[in-house]
Amino acid sequence: MTTRTLKTLLAATALTGIAAGAVSAEDVDYGNFDGYTLRVKLIGGAQYEPLYARISEWEEMTGATVDVLSRKNHFELDREIKQDIAAGTLDWCVGSNHTSFAPQYGTIYTDLNGLIGEATLAEFQELALQNSTVDGRLVQLPRHSDISNLFYKKSLYADEDNKAAFKAEYGYDLAPPETFDQFKDQAIFFADAPSFYGTQYVGKDEAITGRFYEMLVANGGQLFDENWEPTFNSEAGVEAVQWFKDLYDAQAVPAGVLNYLWDDTGLGFASGTVAMNLDWAGWASFFNDPANSKVAGDIGLVRAPKGSGGLRSGWSGSHSFSITEGCDNKDAAASFVTFLTNHDSQMIEATAGLLPTRAKVWDDAKAKFAADGNDFLVEVFDTYAQSMAEDAFTPPLIAPWIEVSNEIWPRLQSAILGEMTAQEALDEAADAARIVMEDAGYL
Amino acid sequence: MQTKRPPFWQREKYTPYLLLLPAILTILFVVLLPLIFSFYTSFTGYRLIRPESLWQWVGLRNYERIFGDDDFWAAFVRTIVFLTIALNLEFLLGLGIALLINKITWGQRTLRTIMMFPMMFSPILVGYQFKFVFNDNIGILNNALESLGLSDGAIPWLVDTYLANFAIIFAEVWMSTSVFAILLLAGLFAMPRDPIEAAKVDGCNAWQVFRHITLPFLMPFVFIAMTIRSLDVARAYDIVDVMTGGGPAGRTELLWTLIARTGYDNARMGQANAMGYISIILSIAFTYYFFTKLIASRRYMGGAD
């Protein structure tokens, strides 16, 4: 089947859809690729797997077979893809991708504009598509988005003793934090190490760089100036680092927090020993499930706090699918990624709390939660919809981002542990980042 | 009549080379070519994600950068210290275990098998296991210490400079002590009984027998085990990567966590290879040292030079 036919079909389907008032997967013709084997490399992990159960449906529909070459976490997948680039073994068609990682892969992925029908693309949120574009090329089809908001243990805030004690100590009423300063006060107030902690943060890798970055922006700072000169060693940057350090010094976070990644913070909050948790919506269902979580039924949610610059932190990105430039059957690949990001697919992921990238799925998922009587997920979607619309921003979409991040995070750790001051750590990281940017040709 | 000489590959003096040819070719392709290639790339700005950068010759720049890089040298020194402590601990514990097992007359085979268990785990699993044991919040160790009333706070095992390195060495020692134990046990089995009995007849006490007969006899085995393990430990990666990733703040950074991050995450394979070549010096030095000691100890025992 040619691209043109697929496009026409998709466009036609979309038109029918509009006429009918709803686009559903059944209306779309995904083509016929009888006997073709599509080779793919996908991100693995508990939160990503449920979608892959649908692959067999696509196989049945199109007659093609999907050969999953690897299913790894994103950091391992990233290494594998880099090895493929180096070895010239990009002999597969579809790969999982992410906003933060996409720019470093250069031109190995094809431009989806023209390959995937305009009508289909129009169903996606504009911002999500914009963030999937590198150097003017749409190199990824966004699957679901992430951004963090603040989960908290409701009962702590309802407790009269807590209210009185907090007011006496800090001089303002105890309510879920609106700013990072309040966040810090309350985390320190609730903490009672080693049995209970105010909050937890991810402490290494791109995870803590991302947190630092979003707080830097919320404090009114920027990573680079318009000439790509590193500027994160500013007052706003120091303030952000100091926030991490103050919490660490006050033992409001576990001492091992610098080794924590997303699983640790999520499981920590679910264990009921943490008061507040800034995290993505992917955990929402898990947190509220009594089988997994001790805080089920006791969870409040507010938007991420504001920094001293008056902005909310809104580090965001999307998990996505990309198609290689050298793919031997791009139409089949396009059909496959379209299927895995269609309305029904996104509904499956949304049920777990993953944020859809199709505008309509937001409403449909919310309606479904309301019908099921799941008020918590309705609240989750309302809160995250607002932050996706108003607060979201990505890291700089440049090839050396991960490398710059690798210069920043060890220095953040040094500052938090008190081996150097926040200013020294950021100055050193800025110098190292400048060399990376010079080598990459930006300076 | 003069017989015609056979073609050269059929002549007797070439036969050994001919027979060795498959091995030589294999080594050439599997070892030598990659070595030459990676050595070449250490003089280029080769980045994994930019295959064309393979031809970007930068001379000694990678090496110059490394020589001026404090983080690299800190990792270098840390690797040496790590190696020294881990090897000695493994040697002492392995020796103890071998001597104890050697004394057992009943159930020795079963014990020997049980002793090998830690070696059967993949290093990654061992890393996860100890990451959980040493976790400051939900880890078994801290919870046990608190329950027993031995500590009243969460001890940051994987954060504190000394404790984190201790935790990693502990995991490494737990996994690999049995390598020493097995090799030394083999040594004990091969040991002739006569000198020991003669010594006992001459009135030597147990310590003197151990110090002057058993230990010298075991030393060649010790140095073989040391050589093998020094190469293993110098390449320590999986356990460290899982437990701390070289952090926090580079406190447990060893050569290979640094090199892997440079080569893969940062995609700077040229620079990573240059680091690799400097690190090889370390392995060569340790191997050379242990082989010298091995020859010395064999000479001491009256063995062949």
Side-chain angles (χ1 to χ4, degrees):
Chain A
M1 190 165 105
T2 62
T3 316
R4 185 185 295 269
T5 350
L6 180 69
K7 270 197 303 189
T8 325
L9 276 171
L10 289 174
T13 332
L15 281 176
T16 334
I18 291 164
V23 183
S24 68
E26 291 70 41
D27 298 336
V28 180
D29 181 356
Y30 288 95
N32 183 6
F33 308 101
D34 229 345
Y36 177 70
T37 303
L38 184 71
R39 293 154 61 81
V40 302
K41 295 196 169 187
L42 302 175
I43 182 173
Q47 285 157 324
Y48 308 99
E49 302 283 343
L51 177 65
Y52 304 149
R54 296 204 80 203
I55 290 178
S56 58
E57 268 179 63
W58 182 79
E59 287 176 324
E60 229 163 83
M61 209 186 293
T62 60
T65 317
V66 177
D67 183 6
V68 182
L69 300 175
S70 54
R71 197 179 270 192
K72 296 177 170 165
N73 78 44
H74 224 302
F75 294 98
E76 284 173 32
L77 197 64
D78 172 57
R79 287 183 178 190
E80 193 176 303
I81 292 171
K82 283 172 181 166
Q83 287 176 27
D84 281 343
I85 298 174
T89 50
L90 287 161
D91 52 355
W92 38 274
C93 273
V94 174
S96 284
N97 207 344
H98 188 276
T99 316
S100 300
F101 287 79
Q104 46 175 348
Y105 300 135
T107 52
I108 69 163
Y109 291 126
T110 198
D111 189 353
L112 300 176
N113 282 311
L115 188 60
I116 288 174
E118 276 172 31
T120 306
L121 292 180
E123 296 286 316
F124 286 82
Q125 288 172 312
E126 213 180 308
L127 188 65
L129 288 184
Q130 207 177 306
N131 291 343
S132 302
T133 305
V134 179
D135 295 333
R137 300 166 71 243
L138 181 69
V139 290
Q140 336 157 56
L141 193 60
R143 167 181 174 177
H144 57 245
S145 299
D146 51 54
I147 190 167
S148 293
N149 283 312
L150 192 67
F151 293 92
Y152 62 92
K153 212 172 155 176
K154 247 191 212 162
S155 51
L156 291 173
Y157 286 84
D159 185 288
E160 290 303 327
D161 293 345
N162 278 346
K163 283 183 183 172
F166 185 84
K167 176 104 190 207
E169 196 174 340
Y170 293 92
Y172 62 95
D173 287 328
L174 179 64
E178 185 63 16
T179 66
F180 274 99
D181 285 340
Q182 293 175 0
F183 187 178
K184 182 164 81 182
D185 288 347
Q186 295 173 16
I188 293 173
F189 174 76
F190 287 127
D192 180 20
S195 52
F196 197 83
Y197 293 99
T199 186
Q200 298 184 328
Y201 48 75
V202 283
K204 64 176 181 180
D205 294 346
E206 195 224 0
I208 189 174
T209 312
R211 279 281 180 260
F212 163 74
Y213 166 60
E214 64 177 346
M215 286 178 65
L216 173 76
V217 174
N219 289 341
Q222 275 303 333
L223 272 184
F224 302 101
D225 65 12
E226 64 275 20
N227 300 318
W228 295 109
E229 187 75 33
T231 54
F232 54 81
N233 50 343
S234 56
E235 211 173 298
V238 172
E239 194 187 336
V241 178
Q242 200 60 41
W243 184 87
F244 289 104
K245 182 170 168 48
D246 289 347
L247 285 177
Y248 194 82
D249 289 345
Q251 296 193 342
V253 293
V257 85
L258 293 175
N259 287 318
Y260 285 14
L261 280 178
W262 306 111
D263 277 358
D264 304 284
T265 54
L267 294 174
F269 185 66
S271 78
T273 59
V274 177
M276 292 172 281
N277 183 35
L278 189 62
D279 221 321
W280 74 325
W283 283 106
S285 293
F286 185 89
F287 286 157
N288 210 32
D289 175 5
N292 296 317
S293 161
K294 290 189 178 154
V295 287
D298 186 22
I299 312 167
L301 178 65
V302 286
R303 276 165 77 188
K306 287 177 183 165
S308 59
L311 295 173
R312 290 185 195 277
S313 62
W315 171 37
S316 174
S318 303
H319 282 274
S320 57
F321 295 110
S322 293
I323 298 175
T324 56
E325 195 65 77
C327 174
D328 56 351
N329 192 340
K330 287 186 183 153
D331 291 334
S335 160
F336 180 70
V337 299
T338 307
F339 179 77
L340 285 187
T341 54
N342 72 14
H343 184 274
D344 288 4
S345 296
Q346 296 215 348
M347 281 299 284
I348 291 179
E349 299 221 286
T351 312
L354 298 172
L355 306 178
T357 53
R358 281 173 176 255
K360 192 168 178 305
V361 179
W362 279 93
D363 300 329
D364 291 355
K366 232 167 63 181
K368 181 173 178 286
F369 299 147
D372 294 348
N374 194 338
D375 296 340
F376 177 65
L377 275 185
V378 174
E379 187 193 344
V380 167
F381 263 57
D382 279 336
T383 312
Y384 278 85
Q386 212 178 354
S387 54
M388 280 306 289
E390 294 171 27
D391 312 328
F393 52 84
T394 66
L397 299 179
I398 52 171
W401 161 245
I402 297 291
E403 221 179 313
V404 167
S405 158
N406 280 341
E407 296 297 350
I408 295 178
W409 67 262
R411 270 94 177 186
L412 296 180
Q413 292 184 328
S414 295
I416 294 168
L417 289 169
E419 286 181 0
M420 42 176 105
T421 66
Q423 187 67 58
E424 284 166 359
L426 290 179
D427 286 346
E428 211 183 282
D431 288 341
R434 190 170 297 113
I435 293 176
V436 171
M437 295 303 280
E438 275 171 14
D439 284 358
Y442 283 86
L443 285 175
Chain B
M1 186 184 110
Q2 196 182 4
T3 51
K4 200 183 159 208
R5 288 186 70 186
F8 77 93
W9 63 87
Q10 287 180 5
R11 285 175 219 155
E12 201 173 332
K13 69 172 178 178
Y14 292 119
T15 312
Y17 300 105
L18 206 62
L19 292 175
L20 281 174
L21 199 61
I24 291 173
L25 282 180
T26 313
I27 288 179
L28 199 70
F29 278 106
V30 177
V31 179
L32 196 63
L33 280 185
L35 269 182
I36 294 172
F37 176 71
S38 60
F39 190 62
Y40 162 76
T41 60
S42 73
F43 297 100
T44 65
Y46 182 38
R47 303 167 64 89
L48 276 187
I49 46 170
R50 302 270 176 277
E52 71 278 5
S53 60
L54 187 53
W55 313 114
Q56 182 201 353
W57 182 263
V58 296
L60 288 171
R61 196 183 69 183
N62 286 330
Y63 288 94
E64 280 162 13
R65 273 198 184 166
I66 294 168
F67 278 103
D69 182 0
D70 295 342
D71 290 343
F72 175 79
W73 291 109
F76 193 86
V77 172
R78 202 174 290 112
T79 307
I80 295 178
V81 175
F82 181 78
L83 197 63
T84 313
I85 297 177
L87 280 187
N88 281 299
L89 278 178
E90 285 176 23
F91 161 56
L92 289 176
L93 293 171
L95 180 65
I97 293 172
L99 288 171
L100 286 174
I101 290 191
N102 193 35
K103 288 274 178 220
I104 298 175
T105 48
W106 185 84
Q108 199 193 59
R109 274 188 203 168
T110 320
L111 260 184
R112 272 191 338 238
T113 313
I114 293 175
M115 188 180 77
M116 303 285 284
F117 279 175
M119 280 172 69
M120 296 173 193
F121 291 101
S122 127
I124 291 188
L125 293 181
V126 174
Y128 277 112
Q129 171 188 306
F130 281 101
K131 185 184 178 182
F132 174 64
V133 169
F134 287 110
N135 181 301
D136 61 295
N137 195 16
I138 53 165
I140 299 176
L141 188 60
N142 270 352
N143 278 307
L145 290 176
E146 277 165 40
S147 308
L148 293 171
L150 295 174
S151 114
D152 55 355
I155 302 171
W157 290 104
L158 295 175
V159 173
D160 181 88
T161 310
Y162 297 105
L163 292 179
N165 283 295
F166 164 81
I168 292 172
I169 289 176
F170 189 90
E172 187 73 40
V173 168
W174 180 87
M175 187 176 72
S176 303
T177 295
S178 43
V179 177
F180 269 88
I182 284 294
L183 283 168
L184 297 186
L185 199 57
L188 286 172
F189 285 166
M191 196 168 157
R193 309 297 305 166
D194 312 359
I196 295 179
E197 275 154 25
K200 280 184 180 155
V201 171
D202 287 347
C204 288
N205 62 25
W207 168 249
Q208 285 167 327
V209 172
F210 173 73
R211 173 71 190 78
H212 297 288
I213 298 175
T214 313
L215 196 57
F217 185 85
L218 281 182
M219 281 326 266
F221 293 89
V222 171
F223 288 119
I224 288 171
M226 288 262 186
T227 315
I228 296 173
R229 286 292 303 147
S230 73
L231 294 175
D232 271 353
V233 178
R235 286 180 292 138
Y237 173 71
D238 320 52
I239 290 185
V240 190
D241 194 50
V242 170
M243 286 177 73
T244 62
R251 286 173 172 185
T252 56
E253 187 93 292
L254 299 183
L255 279 173
W256 288 101
T257 51
L258 180 67
I259 292 173
R261 190 174 313 117
T262 310
Y264 288 106
D265 297 356
N266 293 354
R268 291 172 178 263
M269 203 36 102
Q271 197 176 348
N273 279 335
M275 288 179 176
Y277 273 94
I278 296 180
S279 318
I280 282 181
I281 297 170
L282 189 67
S283 293
I284 293 178
F286 269 87
T287 312
Y288 177 78
Y289 172 73
F290 288 131
F291 269 123
T292 328
K293 300 291 271 184
L294 174 65
I295 291 168
S297 65
R298 289 184 59 174
R299 194 177 291 138
Y300 179 79
M301 290 303 296
D305 279 22

